[in-house]
Amino acid sequence: MIVDFLCNDRTLFIAVKNIGSGPAHHVSVSFEPEISGIHGETVISDLSLFRCLSFLPPGKEIRTPLDPVQEYFDREAPTQIETVIHFETDTGATLSRSIEHDLRVYDSTTQTHQ
């Protein structure tokens, strides 16, 4: 299981993907620091996708929009984010994975052109 941030058509998305060979159950994701999206009005971890996803088959990805990319950076939202994903396997094992994200790679105002 992974959580990733994607940029497509000037919009930031957050994706939860099962990269394993078996299904994942009772999937939840936490964010540190907490982040807000949808014009800064929605606490992302409050979305049902991140609170408790009952089942995610192998290879399945679910993504949700976070914000228009420039709007996210204009309001000085966090760019260094740790995501922790918890889930259970078919055998009942409880697993977790922590992933550090640096969203500055999507900020066109910090990119230099040569």
Side-chain angles (χ1 to χ4, degrees), residues 7 11 13 16-17 22-23 28 31 36-37 42 44-45 47 51 58-59 63 66-67 69 72 74 77 91 94 109:
C7 186
T11 301
F13 291 85
V16 176
K17 184 171 184 176
S28 65
F31 299 86
S36 296
T42 302
I44 293 302
S45 62
L47 298 176
R51 283 185 292 134
R63 63 174 72 173
L66 174 59
D67 247 336
V69 67
Y72 186 84
D74 286 348
T91 62
T94 300
T109 63

Side-chain angles (χ1 to χ4, degrees), residues 10 13 23 28 37 48 76 90 106 108 110:
R10 294 177 273 173
F13 291 85
S28 65
S48 59
E76 299 181 7
D90 267 348
Y106 301 118
S108 61
T110 62

Side-chain angles (χ1 to χ4, degrees), residues 13-76:
F13 291 85
I14 305 173
V16 176
K17 184 171 184 176
N18 185 347
I19 61 171
S21 59
H25 305 271
H26 310 290
V27 179
S28 65
V29 179
S30 61
F31 299 86
E32 181 60 40
E34 188 64 61
I35 57 174
S36 296
I38 318 301
H39 313 294
E41 298 174 3
T42 302
V43 177
I44 293 302
S45 62
D46 286 349
L47 298 176
S48 59
L49 168 62
F50 303 113
R51 283 185 292 134
C52 187
L53 188 59
S54 297
F55 176 79
L56 197 62
K60 177 91 179 214
E61 174 183 284
I62 301 175
R63 63 174 72 173
T64 189
L66 174 59
D67 247 336
V69 67
Q70 200 54 54
E71 184 176 321
Y72 186 84
F73 293 109
D74 286 348
R75 63 184 168 84
E76 299 181 7

Side-chain angles (χ1 to χ4, degrees), residues 67-88:
D67 247 336
V69 67
Q70 200 54 54
E71 184 176 321
Y72 186 84
F73 293 109
D74 286 348
R75 63 184 168 84
E76 299 181 7
T79 57
Q80 303 289 317
I81 300 165
E82 177 185 16
T83 58
V84 180
I85 187 165
H86 300 275
F87 61 99
E88 292 180 16

